[in-house]
Amino acid sequence: MEVLKVASKSNPNAVAGALANTIREKGGAELQAIGAGALNQALKAVIIARGYVAPSGIDLICIPAFTDIEINGEERTAIKLIIQAR
């Protein structure tokens, strides 16, 4: 599954476009966010992407989960949003 990393400064429209394309091509994607600002942008992107793919008859489901990732040799807890087409 393709992983899209989202930061608090990410443009939700750009992330939504990438997410919609990944959903169309592969049927699913994973968004990773660390922090409240990044999670906010990621969730906005999911909402926008849902509007992009809905005319094609695709509905999105979102499964939230925690994941541990390593950044600069330091272990951090991130939130991952698993997005699947239904």
Side-chain angles (χ1 to χ4, degrees):
M1 188 170 292
E2 183 151 346
V3 176
L4 303 172
K5 296 183 180 182
V6 182
S8 60
K9 293 186 166 105
S10 295
N11 179 342
N13 288 311
V15 176
L19 179 58
N21 286 335
T22 304
I23 293 291
R24 286 188 190 106
E25 291 172 9
K26 300 184 179 176
E30 180 181 309
L31 297 179
Q32 284 185 353
I34 299 176
L39 181 59
N40 181 48
Q41 298 302 79
L43 200 49
K44 284 195 272 187
V46 172
I47 295 165
I48 295 166
R50 188 167 184 246
Y52 289 166
V53 298
S56 314
I58 299 171
D59 193 16
L60 299 182
I61 58 170
C62 178
I63 304 165
F66 289 110
T67 187
D68 292 322
I69 60 174
E70 189 175 316
I71 299 176
N72 298 330
E74 193 176 315
E75 183 119 338
R76 303 282 306 267
T77 300
I79 292 180
K80 67 179 175 179
L81 301 175
I82 301 164
I83 313 300
Q84 298 175 343
R86 178 171 59 155

